[in-house]
């Protein structure tokens, strides 16, 4: 009886030990990473049941991190290659993004009379950058226009203060062509304003580097007179009977402001006043014999007020500054004062048709007389001119 009781007890202990051993083995297997599949499956009998394929191993955190970094580096290299391609292709795109816009003062005082000077120039931190950008754009245009003549490719020099006359001529051509191609739709795109600002600053900067003898030389004076006449012709094209350059009123105001900025330099400003005052006399005579119902009459009427306003802007903004400069041309000042007085006489003939012309030109003459009264060299001026001016 005792032997029979001991057998089931021994069998129960063995089963418990076997269960504990299997649990330990299974626990160790679960803790280990899955082993890679063997290169060749073990031989199996035809009667064996096929086992499912093992799942691919998952990437660890380090592997995912380096994979993400590699992808970012690849995108950065592609972006740098694209930037390099854009920078090298100067004939198609400028190195600056097209979204860049001029956020300065250049056109802020459009059509407004200010007793103070309207800006003394760009911030020195950006002036050299803008100058190089403008030179690069002008060189591109020169290569396109003069590609057949290699000698003309050097009109714009890489070095400062070299070939100033050629630089001035090329920048004037660039500015006039820019104004010739402007439209009311392109005014708000930003490119016109940016290039106008840089062109004017470059022209004034080039003139500032020249001595009075260099400025009064025939080539420089011819370039400046050409700039003035071409801008006037494009602004007041109706006066020439040229319908191919018909501009919107908004465009005329922008170019008028552009001439106001160019007049910052006395060498340019005095010649601009002289040319405008002479044109006022010509337009006054034309209006005297023109039919008021003619289509061109309204355009000439608006142009008359814009020309008188331009002289008032130049006198109010710069006359005192010009007079304090050491190279102020007193004789040329007397010439354009006489021209303005002559224009007033021509406008008096139109007083019965429109008396506002005389009122506006009288206001301009009053501003001139007020500024002249503050000249330190008042005694050097022609007494007859002063008498007509103050009468």
């Amino acid at each position: 009886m005792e032997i029979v009781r001991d057998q089931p007890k021994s069998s129960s202990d063995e089963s418990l030990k076997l269960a504990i051993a299997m649990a330990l083995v299974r626990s160790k297997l679960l803790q280990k990473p899955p082993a890679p599949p063997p290169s060749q499956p073990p031989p199996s009998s035809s009667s064996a049941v096929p086992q499912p394929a093992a799942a691919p191993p998952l990437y660890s955190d380090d592997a995912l991190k380096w994979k993400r970094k590699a992808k970012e580096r690849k995108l950065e290299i592609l972006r740098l290659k694209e930037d390099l391609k854009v920078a090298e292709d100067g004939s198609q795109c400028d190195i600056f993004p097209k979204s860049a816009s001029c956020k300065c003062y250049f056109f802020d005082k459009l059509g407004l009379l200010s007793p103070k000077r309207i800006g003394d120039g760009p911030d020195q931190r950006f002036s050299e950058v803008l100058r190089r950008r403008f030179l690069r754009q002008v060189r591109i245009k020169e290569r396109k226009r003069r590609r057949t003549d290699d000698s003309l490719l050097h009109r714009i020099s890489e070095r400062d203060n070299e070939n100033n006359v050629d630089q001035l001529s090329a920048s004037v051509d660039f500015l006039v062509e820019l104004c010739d191609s402007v439209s009311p739709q392109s005014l708000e795109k930003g490119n016109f304003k940016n290039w106008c600002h840089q062109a004017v600053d470059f022209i004034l900067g080039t003139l500032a580097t020249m001595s009075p003898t260099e400025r009064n030389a025939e080539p420089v004076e011819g370039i400046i007179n050409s700039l003035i006449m071409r801008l006037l012709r494009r602004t007041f094209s109706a006066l020439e009977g040229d319908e191919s350059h018909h501009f919107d009123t908004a465009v005329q105001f922008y170019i008028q402001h552009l001439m106001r900025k160019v007049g910052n330099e006395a060498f340019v400003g005095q010649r601009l006043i002289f040319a405008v005052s002479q044109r006022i006399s010509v337009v006054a005579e034309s209006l005297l014999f023109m039919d008021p119902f003619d289509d061109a009459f309204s355009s000439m009427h608006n142009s008359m007020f814009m020309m008188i306003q331009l002289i008032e802007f130049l006198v109010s903004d710069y006359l005192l500054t010009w007079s304090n400069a050491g190279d102020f041309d007193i004789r040329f000042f007397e010439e354009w004062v006489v021209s303005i007085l002559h224009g007033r006489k021509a406008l008096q003939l139109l007083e019965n048709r429109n008396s506002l012309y005389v009122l506006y030109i009288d206001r301009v003459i009053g501003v001139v007389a007020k500024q002249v009264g503050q000249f330190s060299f008042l005694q050097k001026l022609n007494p007859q001119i002063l008498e007509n001016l103050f009468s």
Side-chain angles (χ1 to χ4, degrees), residues 39-102:
S39 58
Q40 293 183 353
S44 59
S45 61
S46 58
S47 61
V49 179
Q51 299 294 328
L58 299 177
Y59 289 106
S60 64
D61 293 340
D62 291 339
L64 291 175
K65 177 181 177 181
W66 287 109
K67 183 179 181 180
R68 184 172 60 254
K69 286 187 175 182
K71 186 176 181 180
E72 292 175 355
R73 182 60 57 87
K74 183 179 180 180
L75 293 176
E76 183 180 358
I77 292 174
L78 292 176
R79 186 164 52 250
L80 291 175
K81 286 182 178 180
E82 186 66 23
D83 293 342
L84 180 61
K85 181 180 178 181
V86 171
E88 290 177 346
D89 191 8
S91 62
Q92 299 294 332
C93 181
D94 191 36
I95 58 175
F96 289 85
K98 291 185 178 299
S99 59
S101 59
C102 181

Side-chain angles (χ1 to χ4, degrees), residues 223-241:
I223 292 171
I224 296 302
N225 289 333
S226 174
L227 170 65
I228 293 171
M229 299 309 298
R230 292 163 72 183
L231 287 179
L232 287 176
R233 184 172 64 250
R234 281 155 175 77
T235 309
F236 311 116
S237 57
L239 307 183
E240 306 289 342

Side-chain angles (χ1 to χ4, degrees), residues 108-174:
D108 287 352
K109 301 278 185 187
L110 182 65
L112 299 178
L113 182 65
S114 175
K116 299 180 181 180
R117 295 186 61 185
I118 50 176
D120 297 326
D123 193 328
Q124 293 299 323
R125 294 174 298 173
F126 308 108
S127 59
E128 186 61 26
V129 175
L130 294 176
R131 181 180 183 276
R132 290 197 301 267
R133 183 189 184 198
F134 175 74
L135 279 174
R136 181 174 179 272
Q137 187 69 15
V138 174
R139 283 196 297 270
I140 292 172
K141 281 189 172 290
E142 286 296 306
R143 292 189 182 101
K144 290 180 179 179
R145 189 185 351 173
R146 312 281 187 179
R147 194 176 297 274
T148 57
D149 190 353
D150 294 337
S151 64
L152 293 177
L153 294 180
H154 300 288
R155 294 183 66 191
I156 299 299
S157 175
E158 296 287 351
R159 291 175 290 178
D160 297 337
N161 300 326
E162 182 178 356
N163 296 331
N164 285 334
V165 176
D166 292 337
Q167 291 184 2
L168 184 64
S169 177
S171 57
V172 165
D173 291 339
F174 180 88

Side-chain angles (χ1 to χ4, degrees), residues 361-372:
I361 197 67
D362 281 343
R363 186 173 71 177
V364 172
I365 294 175
V367 174
V368 175
K370 181 180 178 181
Q371 302 281 8
V372 170

Side-chain angles (χ1 to χ4, degrees), residues 213-263:
T213 304
E214 292 175 331
R215 280 197 300 243
N216 292 321
E218 183 177 353
V220 176
E221 189 167 358
I223 292 171
I224 296 302
N225 289 333
S226 174
L227 170 65
I228 293 171
M229 299 309 298
R230 292 163 72 183
L231 287 179
L232 287 176
R233 184 172 64 250
R234 281 155 175 77
T235 309
F236 311 116
S237 57
L239 307 183
E240 306 289 342
D242 185 5
E243 297 297 335
S244 62
H245 294 290
H246 178 68
F247 287 155
D248 186 83
T249 304
V251 177
Q252 290 180 324
F253 271 112
Y254 271 89
I255 301 181
Q256 180 208 53
H257 191 82
L258 184 63
M259 290 188 286
R260 180 183 181 182
K261 286 287 192 175
V262 176

Side-chain angles (χ1 to χ4, degrees), residues 261-295:
K261 286 287 192 175
V262 176
N264 187 4
E265 177 67 40
F267 183 80
V268 182
Q270 291 203 98
R271 285 162 175 77
L272 183 57
I273 293 177
F274 183 72
V276 174
S277 59
Q278 285 186 325
R279 185 161 293 224
I280 288 175
S281 301
V282 174
V283 175
E285 295 178 1
S286 300
L287 289 174
L288 184 62
F289 300 102
M290 181 176 288
D291 184 1
F293 296 99
D294 193 341
D295 294 338

